Amino acid sequence: MPAPDLTADELRDQLEQARHEYGELLERGLSLDLTRGKPSPAQLDLAAGLLALSLDEDYTAADGSDCRNYGGLQGLPELRTIFSEILQVPVPQLVAADNSSLALMHDCIVHAMLSPLPGAEGRWVDEAVAFVCPVPGYDRHFTLCERFGIEMIPVPMTAGGPDMDAVEDLVRRDRRIKGMWCVPKHSNPDGTCYSDETVARLAAMEAAADGFRIFWDNAYAVHDLVDQLVEVGDLLAACAETGHADRAFVFGSTSKVTLAGAGVAFFGSSPANVAWFLEHDAIRTIGPDKLNQLRHVRFLGDAQGVYDHMAGHRKLVGPKFAAVERILSEQLNGTGLATWSRPQGGYFVSLVVDAGCARAVVQKAAEAGIALTPAGATHPHGVDPEDRYIRIAPTFPGQEDLETAIGGLATCVRLVGWGRRRHSGGTEEAR
């Protein structure tokens, strides 16, 4: 983001204009929320038929079992068949659970803490544990690590996924590294999709730790913003082909497909890992909500039914992302104050401002009634060392509110950015 070649007078004028617009923003008394990547009410309405669906007193799964009763720990085979293609996991190696994939990630860590993973000599609780964390990344992944005392080692993202030279070096030489977080498609928050080369290198790389696992959080597997769907390589198959069959833990859910509060979450992995997971999960639960799973089967029908359903989401969400791009371009192009991602899917846009400015921008926005995810949430422990990243979540607000919020955010970027540059004399060195 090179600074434009402005004279002192031009810089003063830009700052005064931003101050004037910010004053007008304060007078509006806004109360807008861009903090979390939630489906809008209109998106949730697309799945209204799921709740209205009558089972017609037919509670029987394809295998003849009564979905009202206990059992079926692995979930309905017919639902796993629908999502097997989507998540790139063979049906026998896929588990359908309750609504939260985050809960499945939590449980996998707990089980690994208390019971050795297949191929591992000991329990994580008995040794130092670290995870590789691509940044910018998903704050709830980092929160899980904090909860269990797992050290987080950040590596930067590139256009094709995490910096694999850095990842391979770390994983090869550090026995403490037991896991790695990955959001392979439309990553949170920058929208990156992992390249085929990245997937191949993740599968093939040597790991110093026994029982090393990649937590493959495929949260946005079908959440494309373009009609030509993005395809990401099959990590589970690649791991098996390179002799690391147990390496991948695959997660997904329908939280942003059907109903966030009443969806279905999935865990997929090697046969050995699935057996390990089910053995320990059987202590926690006697089975998932199979009636909800049966509703999903009858509502979605098959994998194509999922893609057809997501086309409805695309029509609702696409204009919002387009508005973010348009407004940021109108207000910030040519200023040198910010860059931003242009995702092909997912739920977020990553805004990158001048070093040392993100927290101030978020604070100014909050004072104007525009709530954003805290600056730093994209990094371990909530600390962005350069204070540059701001996550924008466009999906939940209505179109008008969103456009107001993004316009106000851009005003805050200009207010803080021009102020910082004028204070430093406008030089790159002083910043």
Side-chain angles (χ1 to χ4, degrees):
M1 295 182 295
D5 187 14
L6 298 180
T7 66
D9 287 344
E10 289 171 332
L11 195 56
R12 182 197 62 223
D13 291 344
Q14 292 285 358
L15 179 57
E16 287 304 313
Q17 178 64 26
R19 285 173 173 166
H20 174 73
E21 293 178 17
Y22 186 71
E24 292 180 335
L25 195 64
L26 292 175
E27 291 176 0
R28 298 179 66 175
L30 300 174
S31 181
L32 304 174
D33 190 343
L34 296 179
T35 56
R36 301 303 312 184
K38 299 190 296 185
S40 68
Q43 288 177 263
L44 298 176
D45 286 344
L46 294 174
L50 185 68
L51 295 179
L53 184 65
S54 171
L55 296 178
D56 296 324
E57 298 185 0
D58 179 7
Y59 310 110
T60 306
D63 62 2
S65 62
D66 188 337
C67 291
R68 298 173 299 175
N69 219 326
Y70 289 126
L73 187 62
Q74 195 168 349
L76 298 187
E78 55 266 49
L79 183 61
R80 292 188 279 122
T81 298
I82 293 174
F83 282 89
S84 171
E85 170 190 326
I86 291 168
L87 296 174
Q88 300 173 313
V89 179
V91 175
Q93 295 168 226
L94 191 61
V95 176
D98 289 324
N99 74 304
S100 173
S101 57
L102 185 67
L104 291 175
M105 297 175 219
H106 173 280
D107 288 354
C108 282
I109 293 176
V110 170
H111 295 330
M113 286 284 179
L114 300 179
S115 303
L117 285 157
E121 296 179 0
R123 309 181 306 167
W124 286 3
V125 75
D126 295 323
E127 52 191 318
V129 177
F131 268 43
V132 173
C133 298
V135 294
Y138 179 31
D139 54 337
R140 291 191 180 272
H141 289 163
F142 306 148
T143 300
L144 283 176
C145 285
E146 289 182 350
R147 172 69 178 89
F148 295 104
I150 296 172
E151 181 182 347
M152 291 176 275
I153 303 176
V155 296
M157 289 288 285
T158 73
D163 180 340
M164 284 307 302
D165 289 341
V167 171
E168 288 169 337
D169 180 63
L170 285 166
V171 172
R172 182 180 63 252
R173 63 182 172 81
D174 193 340
R175 291 183 57 84
R176 298 172 307 144
I177 297 177
K178 305 293 187 182
M180 176 179 178
W181 294 111
C182 291
V183 182
K185 183 174 177 181
H186 309 313
S187 291
N188 178 352
D190 58 7
T192 298
C193 295
Y194 285 25
S195 68
D196 290 344
E197 179 188 357
T198 295
V199 174
R201 291 175 70 175
L202 286 168
M205 65 183 179
E206 295 302 317
D210 56 5
F212 171 76
R213 295 294 186 270
I214 295 174
F215 282 59
W216 194 250
D217 184 3
N218 204 357
Y220 307 106
V222 291
H223 299 76
D224 298 86
L225 290 170
V226 293
D227 291 335
Q228 183 63 42
L229 305 186
V230 177
E231 295 185 5
V232 172
D234 185 340
L235 179 70
L236 190 61
C239 287
E241 291 169 1
T242 56
H244 303 127
D246 296 334
R247 174 166 292 178
F249 278 177
V250 178
F251 303 92
S253 80
T254 71
S255 293
K256 293 181 174 70
V257 175
T258 54
L259 300 173
V264 179
F266 299 91
F267 168 73
S269 194
S270 66
N273 282 339
V274 170
W276 168 86
F277 176 84
L278 291 175
E279 175 188 356
H280 300 300
D281 200 46
I283 300 170
R284 186 186 68 86
T285 180
I286 303 174
D289 183 346
K290 297 189 296 298
L291 287 175
N292 188 38
Q293 293 189 5
L294 187 61
R295 290 190 194 95
H296 275 75
V297 170
R298 295 180 182 174
F299 179 70
L300 295 170
D302 54 22
Q304 187 57 50
V306 177
Y307 292 118
D308 292 344
H309 181 75
M310 293 308 296
H313 283 260
R314 193 154 58 247
K315 291 178 181 178
L316 293 171
V317 172
K320 294 183 178 182
F321 278 81
V324 173
E325 169 62 24
R326 173 177 54 80
I327 294 168
L328 293 180
S329 295
E330 290 172 350
Q331 295 209 28
L332 297 177
N333 267 352
T335 65
L337 296 175
T339 60
W340 54 93
S341 60
R342 294 168 171 84
Q344 292 183 288
Y347 260 59
F348 304 99
V349 173
S350 182
L351 179 67
V352 185
V353 298
D354 273 348
C357 289
R359 291 183 185 277
V361 169
V362 171
Q363 179 61 38
K364 286 295 183 184
E367 292 169 2
I370 303 169
L372 298 163
T373 302
T378 53
H379 288 65
H381 304 294
V383 178
D384 171 5
E386 294 187 309
D387 189 24
R388 299 185 68 194
Y389 286 88
I390 298 171
R391 189 180 76 177
I392 300 173
T395 55
F396 184 74
Q399 189 78 23
E400 184 177 348
D401 284 347
L402 173 67
E403 295 187 12
T404 299
I406 299 303
L409 171 59
T411 296
C412 295
V413 171
R414 288 187 288 110
L415 176 69
V416 173
W418 291 134
R420 175 68 62 90
R421 292 189 180 190
R422 185 164 189 241
H423 178 73
S424 65
T427 64
E428 292 292 322
E429 292 79 3
R431 291 208 321 279

